[in-house]
Amino acid sequence: MSTKDSMAKEYFADNARFADLCNNILYGGREVILPENLKERDTTEVLTALGLDKKTIAVQKLRDIFKNASIKYTGKSYVVLIGVENQSDIHYSIPVKNMFYDVMAYGNQVKETAKKHRREKDIATSDEFLSGFTKEDKLIPVITITVYLGTKEWDGPRKLSDMFGDVDEELLPFIPDYRINLLAPREITDFTGFRTSIRQLFEVLQNAYDKEKMQEVLQNDEKFSNVDRETVEAINLFAGTDIDIDEKEEVIDMCKAWEEQKNEGREEGRELGERQKIISLIVKKLQKDKSVAEIADDLEEKEEVIAPIYEAALSMKPDYDVEKIYELLEKNKRLA
């Protein structure tokens, strides 16, 4: 399992974040699913059936996250099963993948119901005996949500029919379709419905491709001044940022950390420019056959400062590539 997969599972398995995620996708941000009404389920889906040779065939799949959700809404109580599949990259057969999970979850419900009836010997009709499922039995709805944690636009399929080639239009009404429930950060238009710090994660993912937009988001949303460490770690991993994290701190001021990182980058760039300028000056004097002592005297610098640059430049003769000389000096510094 990759680092991204592991972190995504751990991050969204938290009940508060899971509820926040589901409420935004399923209820437009209304607080309907509560963290305390979520219960972990086994993420392993195993479905068995008899093959043509009467031997048992077992299929096993492992979901990312799977929970029982007890919902009290509009005066009624419901139970649904909700799975979350995390994608750090675009998956071009995701409708088939998710549909398989859902079919297995429904198949297991039918199987468990049939086992219960056999155990209790309460099947009344031959029709019910055939399926093991009675007219009164009901399935628990299964919902699978795909969370895309990439920074690119999602250009993968959104339903099974998107994966078909040319199909006779007259046949389409007879071909069952399957639609995925997709959350893609670049497509979110309103972040105000999020109640946890997954809002900050999705805002950064939406704008990670543009540093100016990132700067604007960090400056305009005060919530970035108080982000939990787990979310900052997720932002660094999925958005490719390098926000400094103090392990002793449980919350991080991302606005401040981002500004400090920018300033450090400017300083490093300035130092690089000055270093390469000195290398360039030494190369010009080396090409005039000047010695280390002469170059040091011309540049009013110590010989021990000029000597390693002189030797590195001399090794690049006759090209004297300034960038390559700088890289060699940095490599020598690390090996010293």
Side-chain angles (χ1 to χ4, degrees):
M1 186 185 298
S2 71
T3 303
K4 287 184 176 181
D5 288 337
S6 298
M7 174 170 279
K9 287 181 182 181
E10 183 178 345
Y11 185 76
F12 288 110
D14 173 81
N15 276 357
R17 296 187 188 115
F18 190 92
D20 195 18
L21 183 72
C22 294
N23 283 327
N24 273 272
I25 295 173
L26 306 176
Y27 292 103
R30 299 190 302 281
E31 202 169 8
V32 176
I33 299 175
L34 303 178
E36 60 267 28
N37 293 333
L38 292 168
K39 184 179 179 181
E40 295 288 336
R41 286 182 65 94
D42 188 354
T43 57
T44 305
E45 298 277 16
V46 180
L47 192 60
T48 58
L50 286 177
L52 294 176
D53 57 0
K54 303 299 182 181
K55 291 183 179 180
T56 301
I57 301 170
V59 180
Q60 178 174 307
K61 290 290 182 180
L62 190 67
R63 283 182 177 268
D64 286 346
I65 308 168
F66 202 34
K67 293 180 186 277
N68 241 78
S70 298
I71 304 171
K72 294 180 180 178
Y73 190 55
T74 62
K76 294 184 179 180
S77 295
Y78 309 91
V79 175
V80 295
L81 305 180
I82 304 176
V84 166
E85 295 302 312
N86 301 300
Q87 291 295 143
S88 53
D89 299 299
I90 298 170
H91 195 305
Y92 290 102
S93 64
I94 195 70
V96 173
K97 177 186 175 185
N98 287 2
M99 182 172 62
F100 201 30
Y101 285 137
D102 292 355
V103 166
M104 292 181 76
Y106 285 125
N108 277 321
Q109 288 185 55
V110 171
K111 181 182 173 183
E112 290 304 312
T113 301
K115 282 170 62 177
K116 177 177 176 291
H117 286 310
R118 284 197 302 270
R119 189 169 56 249
E120 297 178 359
K121 299 180 179 179
D122 58 356
I123 294 290
T125 69
S126 58
D127 294 329
E128 293 172 339
F129 182 80
L130 180 65
S131 64
F133 207 78
T134 71
K135 188 175 181 180
E136 287 72 32
D137 289 327
K138 303 299 178 187
L139 291 171
I140 300 174
V142 179
I143 299 170
T144 297
I145 296 168
T146 298
V147 180
Y148 173 51
L149 296 166
T151 57
K152 299 188 297 184
E153 294 275 4
W154 177 273
D155 63 357
R158 295 169 187 265
K159 56 184 184 296
L160 186 64
S161 57
D162 289 342
M163 299 175 64
F164 297 157
D166 292 334
V167 178
D168 187 337
E169 288 191 8
E170 289 188 57
L171 295 179
L172 286 177
F174 303 97
I175 303 173
D177 208 347
Y178 178 90
R179 177 181 57 82
I180 66 170
N181 302 300
L182 176 69
L183 189 148
R186 292 281 290 270
E187 298 174 7
I188 299 173
T189 57
D190 183 6
F191 291 93
T192 58
F194 291 102
R195 290 176 167 79
T196 67
S197 54
I198 61 173
R199 167 178 175 168
Q200 281 70 53
L201 170 61
F202 292 146
E203 280 196 90
V204 170
L205 287 173
Q206 184 180 83
N207 297 284
Y209 72 98
D210 189 322
K211 288 187 176 180
E212 288 186 8
K213 286 189 176 182
M214 268 274 281
Q215 178 71 26
E216 185 180 339
V217 166
L218 291 172
Q219 287 177 337
N220 293 339
D221 190 343
E222 61 180 20
K223 290 184 181 294
F224 278 102
S225 64
N226 189 31
V227 184
D228 63 89
R229 182 160 48 87
E230 291 85 357
T231 297
V232 179
E233 288 173 349
I235 287 171
N236 278 343
L237 183 61
F238 294 111
T241 55
D242 190 23
I243 302 298
D244 189 40
I245 300 174
D246 186 340
E247 293 299 322
K248 297 177 183 178
E249 298 291 334
E250 288 302 316
V251 294
I252 288 93
D253 186 338
M254 278 194 63
C255 307
K256 181 181 177 183
W258 178 265
E259 197 59 40
E260 288 174 352
Q261 187 184 58
K262 280 180 61 182
N263 291 337
E264 286 174 7
R266 291 193 195 102
E267 186 61 33
E268 287 173 3
R270 192 157 39 244
E271 289 177 5
L272 172 62
E274 291 174 359
R275 184 86 162 146
Q276 289 185 341
K277 184 178 179 181
I278 291 172
I279 293 170
S280 180
L281 290 171
I282 292 173
V283 164
K284 287 178 181 178
K285 293 181 181 298
L286 172 60
Q287 289 173 319
K288 294 179 180 178
D289 295 324
K290 289 198 173 188
S291 66
V292 171
E294 289 172 323
I295 296 173
D297 186 56
D298 288 348
L299 299 180
E300 298 180 347
E301 189 58 83
K302 295 178 181 179
E303 286 188 30
E304 55 263 36
V305 174
I306 299 300
I309 302 174
Y310 181 92
E311 294 299 327
L314 196 61
S315 70
M316 298 285 179
K317 185 178 179 179
D319 295 330
Y320 298 114
D321 187 299
V322 172
E323 287 189 11
K324 289 183 178 178
I325 295 169
Y326 175 80
E327 289 173 4
L328 177 60
L329 288 166
E330 288 298 302
K331 180 181 178 181
N332 292 340
K333 189 192 297 182
R334 288 194 297 271
L335 295 174

